[in-house]
Amino acid sequence: IRPMTMQLDDDVSIAPLPIPTELTARYAAAKARRDAAIANSVVLREQLRPTLPDARVLVVDDQQTIADGLADMIHAETGAEVIPVTNAVIALHLAKTAPDGCYSLAIIDLDLGHHSITGVHVAKALPRSVAVILVTGVAPEALEEANVDVSAYRTYEKPLKGDVLSDLIDAVKARLPGGRRERADSIH
């Protein structure tokens, strides 16, 4: 970066401090993340506004592919409305502001990639009527500790594959209103 110089007098000139390109890029990235989180929050708030369906599942994971994949799979298997959230701040806000009966179930990753908000914070903020399933791939031993704080319905270690994933889907089905539900595409 070359600072521009401004001539004040014949013998005095000043140059403004340059702003390093790295800081400008960081600011732009942080602003873009903040704007996306606000937009995501508005979209989620709009999704929660209609009359509450009989089955709504909240999926909270800091990895977009996991959150979306679980959401798609649960919706396909149960027909429930599933809300995937990847931002820890938004997840905590949704949990704190959720009216009783808003969610039937929440699947929450313990590590949300945030320096001060964990899955335990989100789980504790939910109404007591919400069944919580905790998952983690970072510290499996933390599941036992978290379970003491949250009284989770179930706990699972990542990766969620094969029998583990099948068991998780069965646990979701069992907790939805009406008990075990058929596949959405087989209901006529």
Side-chain angles (χ1 to χ4, degrees):
I1 299 173
R2 252 187 325 175
M4 296 178 57
T5 304
M6 183 164 47
Q7 193 71 34
L8 296 177
D9 289 330
D10 290 336
D11 58 342
V12 178
S13 64
I14 60 168
L17 293 175
I19 299 174
T21 307
E22 177 186 325
L23 289 179
T24 305
R26 277 192 202 163
Y27 172 78
K31 184 177 182 318
R33 283 192 307 273
R34 188 202 70 195
D35 292 347
I38 289 169
N40 195 10
S41 177
V42 169
V43 168
L44 288 171
R45 209 171 28 247
E46 288 302 314
Q47 289 175 345
L48 292 174
R49 195 163 281 155
T51 59
L52 300 176
D54 66 338
R56 181 177 281 153
V57 178
L58 179 66
V59 175
V60 181
D61 196 302
D62 61 326
Q63 296 179 16
Q64 186 80 49
T65 53
I66 292 175
D68 289 344
L70 265 176
D72 291 345
M73 191 173 301
I74 291 167
H75 178 73
E77 289 288 326
T78 67
E81 180 180 1
V82 185
I83 300 171
V85 180
T86 57
N87 182 298
V89 175
I90 292 172
L92 186 60
H93 173 74
L94 288 175
K96 284 182 175 180
T97 59
D100 199 25
C102 182
Y103 304 109
S104 303
L105 179 74
I107 300 171
I108 304 172
D109 185 10
L110 285 180
D111 179 19
L112 298 178
H114 192 273
H115 63 281
S116 63
I117 300 173
T118 67
V120 172
H121 293 108
V122 175
K124 283 182 168 183
L126 285 164
R128 292 179 96 31
S129 62
V130 178
V132 174
I133 293 176
L134 294 175
V135 297
T136 191
V138 178
E141 63 280 354
L143 277 174
E144 288 181 34
E145 274 181 49
N147 196 17
V148 169
D149 289 341
V150 178
S151 296
Y153 166 59
R154 293 276 175 91
T155 58
Y156 294 96
E157 291 181 32
K158 289 181 182 177
L160 300 171
K161 295 180 181 176
D163 291 341
V164 173
L165 184 57
S166 219
D167 188 49
L168 181 127
I169 296 296
D170 287 343
V172 169
K173 289 178 183 177
R175 286 303 296 200
L176 293 178
R180 200 166 181 83
R181 297 181 67 166
E182 298 176 41
R183 284 182 56 99
D185 57 359
S186 66
I187 299 172
H188 300 292

